[in-house]
Amino acid sequence: MNCDRCQNPAAYTRKYSGEKLCSQCFSKSIVRKTAKTISKYNMIKHDDLVAVAVSGGKDSLALLKIINEMALTHSFKIKAITIDEGIPGYRNEALDIVRKFCNELNVEYKVYAYKDLFELALDEALDLRENEKTSSCSICGTLRRRAIDYAARDIGADVIATGHNLDDTLQTFVINMLSGDTTKIGWMDPDTSANDLRKIKPFCEIYESEIVFYAFTNDMPFQAEPCPHMNEGIRTEIREFLNSLENQHSGIKNNLYQSILKVSTSVKNSNSKEKTKCEKCGNGCTGNVCAVCSVVLKLKENQT
Ligand code: SF4
Ligand code: ZN
């Protein structure tokens, strides 16, 4: 079985299109698709400094590799930022992988720890939780968003790029729908050009399985060990549900993604309430205190 684009043996079959590709043509197709997404949503502009959030997982390392190659031939610069949540036995291996990979690519990188930013490592924060029902990932995700914003401003970035793929986007959408959190659906619109710090997800139109194959076929060293808290939330169940739908009806994830694009844009437009400044940290929010400060304040109240 040969590649549809050249005569080399095929290594990957794209089930939703039937296309068969050799390893090289497959990798090129991922790079091209990423570039297309970036230009479709005007994600990166001339002279931008892009902060690439790198966790040490396959998605963020693949993004760093691809975006670094683009930066070499375009008029933007990149730096990597890594967040250390403070999860014993998990993050250290990832930090090591990130350091080696950034050195190999000659990309400047900096690590920011929850402990330094919030005076609480994730595990300490989780011990202070009042309600065990608040999942580790919801606390961690809230803190991570703020940590990434802080890190990006600290290095003077214009844009934050994360490795979220199409599957992550679908899962987040379903989680938001199931929790009744429609405001967050508005945040999913890929066009963030109105923000002072733009957030981009250049892999948002690529299946997770394709990023896995890209990382594998390019011999990329990524952390395979999952976070110990990974299965506490509902995300894993939703991932399995969406994967089983895709197995039976290939291309269904692409369809759901197209619906999300339409829904998120209209939710964003109807939600565009005037923003105020959080009275604790000065970041933009829609009430008196932003979501991150509310979480941190509540945890610290429990500490005393
Ligand atoms: Fe944080 Fe959850 Fe990710 Fe672990 S799986 S790093 S707890 S968001
Ligand atoms: Zn080929």
Side-chain angles (χ1 to χ4, degrees), residues 120-289:
L120 286 171
L122 182 66
D123 280 28
E124 292 169 305
L126 298 181
D127 286 344
L128 295 171
R129 254 183 311 193
E130 204 160 58
N131 184 349
E132 284 292 324
K133 278 198 184 142
T134 317
S135 78
S136 309
C137 296
S138 83
I139 294 185
C140 184
T142 307
L143 299 179
R144 181 181 303 103
R145 266 199 304 280
R146 172 57 54 83
I148 290 180
D149 279 5
Y150 176 88
R153 288 185 210 281
D154 188 51
I155 62 164
D158 306 285
V159 194
I160 299 169
T162 57
H164 294 100
N165 55 48
L166 185 135
D167 291 62
D168 295 320
T169 307
L170 306 188
Q171 291 154 18
T172 303
F173 177 76
V174 177
I175 291 173
N176 290 339
M177 288 292 273
L178 295 176
S179 64
D181 200 338
T182 49
T183 313
K184 286 194 185 150
I185 291 171
W187 298 353
M188 299 186 73
D189 187 309
D191 177 5
T192 61
S193 54
N195 298 14
D196 59 336
L197 191 54
R198 278 139 44 221
K199 301 203 172 140
I200 63 169
K201 300 181 172 81
F203 284 165
C204 65
E205 304 194 330
I206 302 179
Y207 278 28
E208 177 175 25
S209 51
E210 300 208 349
I211 305 290
V212 173
F213 190 72
Y214 177 89
F216 169 76
T217 201
N218 284 282
D219 275 332
M220 295 186 43
F222 60 87
Q223 187 180 35
E225 178 85 11
C227 169
H229 301 294
M230 194 183 118
N231 292 327
E232 291 169 24
I234 199 171
R235 189 175 285 271
T236 305
E237 288 157 69
I238 293 171
R239 168 188 281 122
E240 284 163 7
F241 165 66
L242 291 169
N243 283 345
S244 77
L245 281 179
E246 179 72 26
N247 278 339
Q248 299 299 322
H249 315 273
S250 46
I252 206 166
K253 287 182 183 174
N254 276 325
N255 298 350
L256 178 56
Y257 180 73
Q258 292 307 319
S259 306
I260 293 173
L261 283 181
K262 292 184 192 135
V263 174
S264 62
T265 310
S266 65
V267 173
K268 184 172 92 173
N269 293 340
S270 71
N271 268 351
S272 51
K273 283 191 223 151
E274 198 149 315
K275 283 207 168 181
T276 53
K277 277 193 189 306
C278 166
E279 58 189 40
K280 298 283 169 201
C281 70
N283 275 290
C285 72
T286 47
N288 296 336
V289 178

Side-chain angles (χ1 to χ4, degrees), residues 5-40:
R5 300 188 189 179
C6 74
Q7 284 314 304
N8 290 330
Y12 190 89
T13 303
R14 219 163 238 155
K15 219 173 147 196
Y16 59 80
S17 64
E19 197 176 17
K20 293 181 281 303
L21 296 170
C22 70
S23 170
Q24 266 183 336
C25 291
F26 174 84
S27 292
K28 274 192 214 155
S29 80
I30 296 295
V31 173
R32 212 168 298 141
K33 197 155 184 186
T34 308
K36 213 170 140 194
T37 305
I38 290 177
S39 96
K40 183 158 65 171

Side-chain angles (χ1 to χ4, degrees), residues 79-114:
K79 283 185 187 174
I81 52 175
T82 296
I83 307 303
D84 178 5
E85 301 89 350
I87 305 174
Y90 162 67
R91 192 43 89 201
N92 291 354
E93 184 200 345
L95 291 176
D96 221 40
I97 294 173
V98 172
R99 181 178 45 79
K100 287 193 192 132
F101 200 65
C102 287
N103 287 342
E104 221 172 89
L105 299 182
N106 210 5
V107 171
E108 211 178 294
Y109 85 105
K110 201 166 168 188
V111 180
Y112 295 82
Y114 281 4

Side-chain angles (χ1 to χ4, degrees), residues 48-96:
D48 270 345
L49 173 62
V50 182
V52 186
V54 185
S55 65
K58 61 185 188 321
D59 303 281
S60 62
L61 291 175
L63 178 66
L64 184 66
K65 177 175 158 62
I66 292 176
I67 218 166
N68 179 50
E69 279 159 22
M70 286 178 188
L72 297 176
T73 53
H74 290 78
S75 62
F76 68 89
K77 293 196 174 61
I78 67 162
K79 283 185 187 174
I81 52 175
T82 296
I83 307 303
D84 178 5
E85 301 89 350
I87 305 174
Y90 162 67
R91 192 43 89 201
N92 291 354
E93 184 200 345
L95 291 176
D96 221 40

